[in-house]
Amino acid sequence: MSATATDQLPVLVIGAGPVGLAAAAHLVERGLEPLVLEAGTAAGAAVRDWSHVRLFSPWSEVTDPAAEKLLAPTGWVKPDAATYPTGGDWAQRYLQPLADVLGERVRFGATVTGVSRAGRDRIVDAGRAAQPFVVHVAYADGREERVFARAVIDASGTWSTPSPAGASGLPALGEKAAADRVTYRVPDLADPAVRARYAGKRTAVIGSGASAFTALAALARLAKTEAGTKAVWILRRGISGSTFGGGSADQLPARGALGLAAKAAVDEGHADAVTGFRTEAIERDRDGRLVLVAEDGRRLDPVDEVIVLSGFRPDLSFLSELRLGLDERLQAPVELAPLIDPNQHSCGTVYPHGVNELSHPEQGVYLVGMKSYGRAPTFLALTGYEQVRSVVAAIAGDRASAERVELVLPETGVCGGAGLFDRPDTEQQADGGGCCAPAPALIQPGTGSPAGSGGC
């Protein structure tokens, strides 16, 4: 296929979530034709899975400008900018209307099973860059199809591949056998059946991020009305001044409030914190309850349920025939990885970046949104919207716009090394608990952090 013919092909977008649909809106704005493939049955399928959870970003920070322009002629009215939507609100009031206006450019029940270069597997060099991408698609009705594209934007996220309870990155021994009592999602305690599962029960919560905070706060509320309800918070590191996030110093107040709610759950006795505990096995006692065992041999008292909220990881299986440049630890693009490495940063965000940090040896393919962060734990919708604005500009040939950052992100108010492994609590407090965040600064992609960034 000639280069001219390839340029007439659509840009394939994988995933009809917030970032994938924003990518499609930017493509339309640039006069390029998108084709969005979504495995779920509706826009924001992953978001709908946590429809009961309230975002810590307000409406003003979770809609994309190009998407708003596309929606405007339909009579769509942006919700109150200062209010905080739930996942369900986000999907119903913004994502689904956006998918509707894109129309046949979005296909549901369409799972991407493989991406390659037409007629060229991963090994072949000759004529590779001149070939379009070929994408294999499996539909919910059993059909299979081959689609050609000029470029591929993978915004499929990481929701489908939660990290296991095992601290080694592998499932703990017995974790799969205990699947009937283990979940990897924040439970919806407003659902009577779910509420009954945790009411009056002892539940272990594994994780230290916003999702774990949300689960702890929900269980604490349940404990106030249901006697016997207790949470056991499992932390792989110690508790320090930065454990509960930025608190009142967080420039996203709702995000800071999550950490404060988790702290209150511990302070009020609704949750017991177990520190330096790296789960290696999940066993059953005689009554069928679960016993968590650490790598150092410690055994916790039995629990009835386990909620694992230890992060997510990208599914790279269907990209195996592409030449991706990924960091060996984070599985994020090599230029982006140093900015988001949790071994070095605990700011909860990253300086704005774009096509330079998201490019791969295979030209024309981009991982964006949560998937671009690989195994790094924190992501903001604003980051993804800036990513796709830059990437689409590059695909359209507008390199100047692609390399111009048009975003300022908030900081958490807590900066410094993340301390992924245990250190004395006093030491963690010294380097992580009292650092003040600098004012947000604009930075050109690829130039690193601005001076005075506090290590973030």
Side-chain angles (χ1 to χ4, degrees):
M1 185 175 291
S2 69
T4 301
T6 298
D7 287 345
Q8 303 306 310
L9 295 173
V11 174
L12 188 107
V13 179
I14 306 174
V19 177
L21 291 175
H26 281 275
L27 288 163
V28 170
E29 186 175 55
R30 290 275 183 173
L32 302 175
E33 189 63 19
L35 174 59
V36 183
L37 299 179
E38 166 59 49
T41 59
V47 172
R48 293 172 191 269
D49 277 354
W50 48 270
S51 60
H52 58 291
V53 177
R54 192 165 299 281
L55 280 71
F56 52 66
S57 296
W59 273 111
S60 62
E61 297 177 359
V62 297
T63 59
D64 176 81
E68 291 182 18
K69 292 179 184 177
L70 197 59
L71 284 164
T74 70
W76 179 82
V77 178
K78 184 174 180 177
D80 181 1
T83 60
Y84 294 82
T86 63
D89 295 334
W90 202 15
Q92 295 168 16
R93 301 180 64 185
Y94 169 65
L95 299 178
Q96 191 60 54
L98 181 53
D100 291 344
V101 77
L102 287 165
E104 295 183 354
R105 297 181 175 105
V106 183
R107 298 181 188 174
F108 296 106
T111 300
V112 173
T113 59
V115 183
S116 187
R117 290 282 189 177
R120 307 290 189 276
D121 65 17
R122 184 187 183 102
I123 299 173
V124 178
D125 290 332
R128 185 178 191 84
Q131 297 301 311
F133 291 96
V134 60
V135 181
H136 284 204
V137 188
Y139 291 94
D141 61 6
R143 291 181 298 118
E144 290 185 301
E145 184 182 16
R146 185 176 61 172
V147 176
F148 294 96
R150 63 179 291 181
V152 174
I153 299 174
D154 183 357
S156 59
T158 57
W159 182 249
S160 63
T161 48
S163 295
S168 62
L170 303 173
L173 298 179
E175 183 173 344
K176 294 180 180 179
D180 61 319
R181 296 200 175 192
V182 179
T183 185
Y184 302 87
R185 309 293 189 230
V186 175
D188 181 4
L189 298 183
D191 182 322
V194 176
R195 184 183 180 89
R197 177 174 176 174
Y198 297 96
K201 305 291 180 61
R202 181 177 167 87
T203 300
V205 178
I206 301 176
S208 60
S211 294
F213 294 165
T214 302
L216 289 167
L219 290 170
R221 289 193 297 272
L222 182 63
K224 293 175 181 178
T225 59
E226 297 286 350
T229 303
K230 185 77 172 185
V232 182
W233 186 18
I234 311 300
L235 291 151
R236 293 173 183 171
R237 52 184 173 178
I239 291 180
S240 72
S242 62
T243 296
F244 299 100
S248 59
D250 197 321
Q251 291 184 27
L252 288 176
R255 181 171 60 186
L258 282 177
L260 296 177
K263 186 176 187 301
V266 175
D267 291 345
E268 295 170 4
H270 300 304
D272 294 331
V274 180
T275 60
F277 192 97
R278 301 189 185 94
T279 307
E280 287 299 317
I282 299 177
E283 301 176 355
R284 288 188 187 266
D285 68 4
R286 293 179 180 178
D287 298 325
R289 302 177 80 197
L290 303 181
V291 177
L292 273 61
V293 184
E295 63 179 10
D296 60 8
R298 278 187 291 163
R299 303 171 67 87
L300 299 185
D301 291 339
V303 298
D304 301 287
E305 300 286 343
V306 177
I307 302 173
V308 183
L309 300 169
S310 55
F312 297 85
R313 54 189 60 179
D315 177 8
L316 301 168
S317 60
F318 60 89
L319 304 177
S320 61
E321 291 303 318
L322 297 178
R323 298 175 178 180
L324 302 180
L326 298 175
D327 178 80
E328 61 185 10
R329 294 169 300 165
L330 295 186
Q331 296 178 299
V334 292
E335 295 298 326
L336 176 59
L339 300 177
I340 60 175
D341 187 347
N343 289 289
Q344 302 297 327
H345 306 293
S346 63
C347 280
T349 188
V350 64
Y351 290 100
H353 56 277
V355 69
N356 288 340
E357 290 81 5
L358 298 171
S359 294
H360 294 274
E362 190 83 70
Q363 296 181 14
V365 61
Y366 304 95
L367 277 56
V368 298
M370 272 298 305
K371 191 159 188 177
S372 71
Y373 269 41
R375 298 193 183 197
T378 314
F379 189 80
L380 294 175
L382 285 175
T383 299
Y385 297 157
E386 173 64 8
Q387 286 180 339
V388 295
R389 184 206 62 77
S390 174
V391 163
V392 169
I395 294 172
D398 186 353
R399 198 71 192 186
S401 178
E403 297 187 1
R404 184 175 63 249
V405 171
E406 299 181 356
L407 175 67
V408 175
L409 289 172
E411 297 283 7
T412 64
V414 180
C415 302
L420 293 183
F421 290 92
D422 289 339
R423 295 183 299 173
D425 288 350
T426 54
E427 183 182 347
Q428 289 196 34
Q429 290 169 354
D431 73 5
C435 168
C436 296
L442 287 175
I443 179 170
Q444 292 297 329
T447 61
S449 301
S453 66
C456 297

